[in-house]
Amino acid sequence: MAENKRDYYEVLGLQKGASDDEIKKAFRKMAMKYHPDKNPGDKKAEEQFKQVNEAYSVLSDPEKKSKYDRFGHAGVDPNAGFGGAGGGFGGFGAGGFEDIFDMFGGMFGGGGSRQRRRNGPIKGNDLQKAMTITFEEAAFGTKKEIQINKYVECETCSGTGAQPGTSKKTCGKCGGTGEVHTTQRTPFGTFQSSSPCPDCGGTGQINEHPCGDCGGTGKVRKSVTISVDIPAGVDNDSVISIKGQGEPGSNGGPNGDLYVVLTVRPHKLFERKGQDLWLEIPITFDQAALGDDITVPTLEGKVSYKVPAGTQPNTVFRLKGKGVKSVRSSRKGDLYVRVILEVPTKLSGKQKKAIQNMAKEVKNDCYKRKSGFLDSMKEFFS
Ligand SMILES: [Zn+2]
Ligand SMILES: [Zn+2]
């Protein structure tokens, strides 16, 4: 029997001494070519497929390969009884075939096919859409409409893909499961593999009268207007998720979701840090020295704030609760006001005179920091 067998390298289209990589590649190529799913009812292909599997089972195993290289088929043929019980063809364990299964899983894209039915419900694609809103819209919330181009359920066939008044019929080949099982009997045992049903493409159903509007897919592309509720307190890069507004699912699966990613335009006055707002207000020397009621803008309108006499530059005042509301609670942030002292420029002669007069009156001892500095400097140089 062994004498009639073809050379394993020849079966894989290789020369003797081919590398492990070449063997693997050749096996994949040959197994694809002769796979029963690709050659239904072809006895010759089936026989080739068996031979390819057998050749690979030997050449992919270093120990068997080395025996085969030295002794030919006799070295690995179980019937030859070579090397006693422990030697020769040392029992083709499940491991070898698992390797083959894994490869098929990869080739037919059905890694999980043995666990999952091919025609089970599949959730539709999620969609993402960018949206720009104003600072105030982010702070107070708003309702917006967006236009998106997406797949929706075909109205003509209600998403079934079949012409109205017709229905799909259960695939006769796979009985509606969407998969076909192939049993391989090889000299080493029997193994089963499953692959998508070729008649129904794995859907389990045959669409004899496809809907003309969607071509049988049950989905059509359409521009849709969607209303988006933007809650108060959202910030730059906040994401609003709208359940079910993605693309339609398949086989009764749920719709995908829509994710709206927000960009908030900067404000001319306010800078936002979380829920707090920051604002800079320029004040003049006389306001800082004598104190003044200043007008402070807030998101809710103007408020009056009393700057106390002797306010130093860059002093920060906090207006509690004048910040932005939290998205999750009713808690509000604060408004921080930094006062900037502005020094006048472009002075007329008369204005300069007025300041000089003031300077004559307001002596060094009116300035706490300046007099302290002068004392320290005196000390340093003495
Ligand atoms: Zn349709
Ligand atoms: Zn089928």
Side-chain angles (χ1 to χ4, degrees):
M1 186 185 168
E3 304 81 56
N4 304 330
K5 276 187 146 177
R6 280 172 73 203
D7 177 71
Y8 284 148
Y9 290 98
E10 193 192 305
V11 168
L12 295 178
L14 294 166
Q15 299 288 328
K16 257 197 169 59
S19 74
D20 289 353
D21 221 41
E22 285 169 330
I23 290 167
K24 203 164 189 162
K25 266 193 198 137
F27 167 68
R28 281 175 186 249
K29 204 175 112 201
M30 293 298 204
M32 281 287 265
K33 186 173 168 191
Y34 295 117
H35 194 275
D37 283 353
K38 291 207 155 183
N39 307 276
D42 184 343
K43 288 274 162 224
K44 248 182 152 163
E46 199 181 319
E47 183 52 41
Q48 285 277 6
F49 185 67
K50 283 178 193 168
Q51 287 186 16
V52 165
N53 279 324
E54 185 185 329
Y56 182 69
S57 72
V58 170
L59 297 183
S60 62
D61 180 311
E63 199 183 319
K64 285 174 210 155
K65 180 171 179 282
S66 117
K67 281 186 178 137
Y68 178 76
D69 286 345
R70 278 182 289 160
F71 308 110
H73 285 295
V76 291
D77 194 319
N79 300 321
F82 179 87
F89 193 81
F92 199 99
F97 277 118
E98 224 145 65
D99 192 26
I100 294 170
F101 274 129
D102 284 349
M103 292 179 80
F104 278 94
M107 279 191 252
F108 294 105
S113 61
R114 274 175 289 166
Q115 293 88 40
R116 191 169 59 81
R117 275 165 61 109
R118 287 177 199 276
N119 58 350
I122 300 163
K123 192 185 169 190
N125 288 333
D126 290 336
L127 297 174
Q128 202 179 320
K129 179 91 184 168
M131 186 195 267
T132 303
I133 56 172
T134 67
F135 198 87
E136 288 91 334
E137 284 171 338
F140 297 116
T142 185
K143 213 181 180 98
K144 288 246 158 185
E145 292 201 325
I146 46 167
Q147 201 82 12
I148 58 169
N149 211 0
K150 64 168 186 172
Y151 279 105
V152 295
E153 198 180 273
C154 172
E155 279 173 23
T156 312
C157 62
S158 307
T160 62
Q163 262 176 39
T166 71
S167 58
K168 293 181 183 177
K169 84 178 193 200
T170 303
C171 174
K173 188 172 177 78
C174 62
T177 63
E179 341 188 283
V180 285
H181 301 277
T182 316
T183 303
Q184 286 296 315
R185 267 177 214 89
T186 75
F188 322 112
T190 303
F191 67 95
Q192 264 208 343
S193 66
S194 66
S195 49
C197 172
D199 283 18
C200 62
T203 61
Q205 292 180 312
I206 304 281
N207 193 358
E208 285 179 317
H209 308 280
C211 167
D213 285 356
C214 61
T217 60
K219 295 165 192 175
V220 286
R221 220 166 159 75
K222 212 176 152 186
S223 178
V224 187
T225 305
I226 293 165
S227 155
V228 185
D229 268 314
I230 297 166
V234 291
D235 208 343
N236 218 16
D237 296 329
S238 287
V239 177
I240 313 273
S241 60
I242 307 169
K243 236 183 139 48
Q245 288 288 11
E247 294 190 329
S250 305
N251 306 322
N255 284 1
D257 302 324
L258 170 65
Y259 295 97
V260 180
V261 184
L262 299 176
T263 299
V264 180
R265 281 202 200 98
H267 199 278
K268 273 204 171 105
L269 294 170
F270 305 107
E271 192 190 333
R272 184 167 163 182
K273 287 177 181 165
Q275 286 162 245
D276 295 330
L277 295 178
W278 281 77
L279 170 69
E280 286 189 347
I281 298 186
I283 59 170
T284 57
F285 170 80
D286 55 297
Q287 285 179 303
L290 307 174
D292 197 9
D293 283 326
I294 60 167
T295 302
V296 177
T298 75
L299 283 178
E300 284 116 344
K302 294 173 191 168
V303 297
S304 182
Y305 188 82
K306 196 170 178 54
V307 175
T311 291
Q312 298 300 322
N314 301 317
T315 302
V316 175
F317 299 108
R318 184 171 72 142
L319 277 68
K320 218 173 155 9
K322 296 286 183 199
V324 176
K325 190 195 151 295
S326 160
V327 188
R328 283 168 205 85
S329 71
S330 58
R331 201 198 86 81
K332 283 180 92 177
D334 304 323
L335 171 62
Y336 291 92
V337 180
R338 187 192 303 277
V339 290
I340 310 292
L341 187 65
E342 188 172 13
V343 175
T345 54
K346 293 184 201 163
L347 295 167
S348 68
K350 199 179 161 194
Q351 289 161 336
K352 283 178 186 164
K353 198 89 200 152
I355 292 175
Q356 281 159 0
N357 285 337
M358 183 209 78
K360 268 180 217 155
E361 287 300 320
V362 186
K363 297 276 166 41
N364 277 349
D365 55 358
C366 299
Y367 295 96
K368 212 172 110 197
R369 274 167 76 185
K370 189 177 179 189
S371 51
F373 172 75
L374 290 175
D375 287 348
S376 302
M377 192 160 69
K378 219 173 178 177
E379 219 178 282
F380 177 63
F381 287 113
S382 65

